[in-house]
Amino acid sequence: MIQKDPTKVLILGNEPRVALRDESPQRTVVLYGSPTLNGEPVTEIGSLGKLGEKSQNPTNLVKSLNGEFVLLIETPDQLVLANDRFAALPIFYAIDTASLVVSFSYQQIWRWLSQNSRLKIDSLAFYEFLHFQRLFGTTTFDQTSNVLTPATVLTIDKRSKNPSTARYWKPNFDKRHDGRNAIASDLADAIKNTVALKTNDAAHTTLLLSGGMDSRAALGGFTPDALPNCVTIGASENNEVDVARAVSATAGAPHTFVQRPATHYADILPQAVADGGGMYTFHHGHFYGLDIPDTDLILHGHGFDYFFQGMYLPSKRRSLVGQPTRTWALEPIGFDLTGEYIAKAKYRLKGIDTVDLLDANVANDATGRLRADLDSVLKNINGETSEPYDDWDYLTTSAPGRHYTYLNLLSAASLAEQRTIAFDNDILDIYYSIPAKMRHGTRLLAETIKILNPKLLEVRNANTNLRPDLSPTRLTIDSWMRGAKRRVGIGRIATSDPSDKDRSWPSEDGVLRNSPALQERLTDLRKSQNLDSLNIFDTAKINQLIDSFEAGNNSPATALLTLITIDEFISSSS
């Protein structure tokens, strides 16, 4: 790197894949990840000339890139850090008097701040993580560092040392009105294109396949002559595995079942917390330490569920004659969207009121902090959305790299390079163009799969054990009919809704109750100096929560897993 000026880039920890590095006396350009340019993968050989010209204007350069990337440029006059529209490679930074300190590992930058006597803990950020299972905006667990928000160019003038940030892209929320079939056709084309691009340089591709819709759509994007090896993870060869195996066979792809060891979640705790920087509850690290078949690239269906099934939109299940149906109605959003989101976001901590765990002196500040961070995200699209559901979903989807399940992807990346099919500019544009009513539920994704490979719809959905392309009304009728048959002794196991044992991932209470080692961590929580050091939690109330769980109440399980994550992060990062 250029060393003439005392202001320099200090990169902490391990760097991800380098797609391109160009060093000269005038400019150093490093492009991380798996970006594409003009429909072609960026490579040292094929893209150097094109990027060399564009790198003189970093904003124009990142605007022209697609996919998952972080860009770092250093010249004698300035430092530039930029990323993609998804924050697919979360990167953290702190501005020192002589350096731009960057890290792809939050734990590493926390340690650097501590070692240099610059660590100022942001205790209320830990409360935000507890409440939402994730963080928003630029928030980290300290008051000095930030995370780079999506589609952002950070520039530091070496002479003045002044930083500036600018968003180089914003969503277009204008809605399409040409119907589900037209949108599904465009989405199918985009999936095929991004699969081709993301597998261009891979010799042995693995697809993590479940029995649901998202990874089924991903599989449909492969051509018959370049199918991946499909891998399904589970504690046993259960219903989910049976469905995934059938989906693979229907496509003509090989399939492997990989059994997760009984001690998996206790075993992965240190690595999951370290890799995730304590910002994702550790039990989402499903793939750490698994022995999967040899591969040089891992793909999956992450993102298709919250982009195209509207799974986090506010909705309520309809009932008929007192019985729950399989139809859902979007709920109206009132004037206080932020307040409603705090109370109703579907991935928020459930089963307890998080404020009850706080010291009474910080409760008001904690709630105000949630509002402030959510408002900081919404201000980027103020007055630009087409419907209130755009604002609601934007809080979830504006930074997919901060999604509460993102540790899934980090754990997959511990086995081989992973790429996310849904993290594609064209796919993101399609998502923002779809009215909420159309992207809510499974019908749009089913129509897309029908275009990609209609045979994949002939295999039941492991989430319902019914055909995946049924309308909500037909789904209700068929589920009621099979229930009636079951009550009179007709039907097999596959004709009922799956239980937790039929799924790939255990429930939160199952993670805790089936692990003596994690139950020991609950004992440690009772007297945790790490939690005490944050000065926001009421120890007596945490102990009451543990007592309730040990007495048989499953509701506190997620909160306890999150508190274990926080405790482990502070302990291991000191």
Side-chain angles (χ1 to χ4, degrees), residues 104-288:
F104 292 93
S105 162
Y106 178 68
Q107 187 180 64
Q108 291 294 325
I109 207 165
W110 169 288
R111 286 175 173 170
W112 183 88
L113 291 169
S114 179
Q115 292 163 3
N116 288 272
S117 302
R118 295 191 58 194
L119 180 64
K120 297 179 181 179
I121 295 176
D122 185 350
S123 295
L124 291 182
F126 286 95
Y127 170 70
E128 182 172 306
F129 171 55
L130 175 67
H131 184 86
F132 281 120
Q133 311 299 289
R134 57 162 293 179
L135 299 176
F136 290 88
T138 62
T139 297
T140 67
F141 289 139
D142 70 87
Q143 299 177 43
T144 304
S145 72
N146 292 284
V147 66
L148 194 67
T149 56
T152 295
V153 177
L154 167 69
T155 305
I156 299 178
D157 184 284
K158 285 189 173 183
R159 295 182 178 87
S160 66
K161 307 297 190 294
N162 291 330
S164 63
T165 58
R167 296 290 292 269
Y168 66 83
W169 172 86
K170 285 187 177 182
N172 179 357
F173 291 98
D174 291 344
K175 301 307 178 192
R176 295 177 57 166
H177 302 287
D178 50 348
R180 182 182 292 113
N181 291 346
I183 294 174
S185 179
D186 288 346
L187 179 56
D189 287 342
I191 291 173
K192 287 187 288 186
N193 290 338
T194 188
V195 167
L197 283 173
K198 290 180 185 288
T199 59
N200 179 274
D201 57 351
H204 303 286
T205 301
T206 292
L207 176 67
L208 301 173
L209 185 71
S210 70
M213 299 290 280
D214 45 5
S215 59
R216 199 176 306 210
L219 178 58
F222 287 83
T223 58
D225 60 342
L227 291 168
N229 180 34
C230 298
V231 172
T232 306
I233 311 298
S236 62
E237 296 200 43
N238 57 19
N239 182 62
E240 180 111 9
V241 177
D242 289 343
V243 173
R245 186 178 288 123
V247 170
S248 299
T250 300
H255 181 271
T256 303
F257 165 66
V258 176
Q259 188 168 20
R260 182 177 62 242
T263 59
H264 176 74
Y265 291 99
D267 294 342
I268 70 169
L269 174 60
Q271 184 176 4
V273 171
D275 286 359
M279 296 177 177
Y280 314 93
T281 307
F282 76 92
H283 73 285
H284 291 298
H286 299 300
F287 304 107
Y288 285 115

Side-chain angles (χ1 to χ4, degrees), residues 181-417:
N181 291 346
I183 294 174
S185 179
D186 288 346
L187 179 56
D189 287 342
I191 291 173
K192 287 187 288 186
N193 290 338
T194 188
V195 167
L197 283 173
K198 290 180 185 288
T199 59
N200 179 274
D201 57 351
H204 303 286
T205 301
T206 292
L207 176 67
L208 301 173
L209 185 71
S210 70
M213 299 290 280
D214 45 5
S215 59
R216 199 176 306 210
L219 178 58
F222 287 83
T223 58
D225 60 342
L227 291 168
N229 180 34
C230 298
V231 172
T232 306
I233 311 298
S236 62
E237 296 200 43
N238 57 19
N239 182 62
E240 180 111 9
V241 177
D242 289 343
V243 173
R245 186 178 288 123
V247 170
S248 299
T250 300
H255 181 271
T256 303
F257 165 66
V258 176
Q259 188 168 20
R260 182 177 62 242
T263 59
H264 176 74
Y265 291 99
D267 294 342
I268 70 169
L269 174 60
Q271 184 176 4
V273 171
D275 286 359
M279 296 177 177
Y280 314 93
T281 307
F282 76 92
H283 73 285
H284 291 298
H286 299 300
F287 304 107
Y288 285 115
L290 298 180
D291 185 16
I292 68 171
D294 288 341
T295 183
D296 56 354
L297 178 64
I298 296 176
L299 300 179
H300 42 79
H302 179 92
F304 285 116
D305 49 3
Y306 54 82
F307 283 160
F308 301 110
Q309 295 189 76
M311 61 184 301
Y312 300 121
L313 288 168
S315 59
K316 184 177 182 180
R317 194 171 186 173
R318 291 189 175 108
S319 296
L320 183 64
V321 294
Q323 297 297 315
T325 70
R326 297 302 178 101
T327 63
W328 297 75
L330 291 177
E331 293 187 296
I333 299 172
F335 69 94
D336 183 15
L337 184 145
T338 301
E340 288 190 38
Y341 196 88
I342 291 172
K344 297 180 180 180
K346 291 190 176 180
Y347 51 81
R348 77 194 187 287
L349 188 64
K350 300 179 183 67
I352 64 168
D353 185 345
T354 51
V355 174
D356 286 344
L357 297 182
L358 297 179
D359 185 288
N361 294 322
V362 300
N364 289 336
D365 290 341
T367 302
R369 173 56 180 275
L370 297 185
R371 282 186 171 273
D373 276 6
L374 294 178
D375 288 340
S376 75
V377 176
L378 290 175
K379 73 178 183 180
N380 293 314
I381 56 168
N382 185 37
E384 299 178 14
T385 55
S386 296
E387 54 186 13
Y389 300 112
D390 289 336
D391 299 80
W392 184 282
D393 244 10
Y394 187 78
L395 288 168
T396 298
T397 61
S398 61
R402 307 209 88 181
H403 191 271
Y404 78 103
T405 65
Y406 194 74
L407 193 60
N408 288 191
L409 280 59
L410 294 177
S411 63
S414 71
L415 306 177
E417 182 181 359

Side-chain angles (χ1 to χ4, degrees), residues 504-516:
S504 292
W505 319 128
S507 62
E508 285 81 358
D509 59 281
V511 169
L512 271 177
R513 295 202 185 280
N514 294 325
S515 173

Side-chain angles (χ1 to χ4, degrees), residues 35-42 64 66 193 196-197 200:
T36 61
L37 175 66
N38 300 327
E40 297 179 358
V42 172
S64 67
N66 192 356
N193 290 338
L197 283 173
N200 179 274

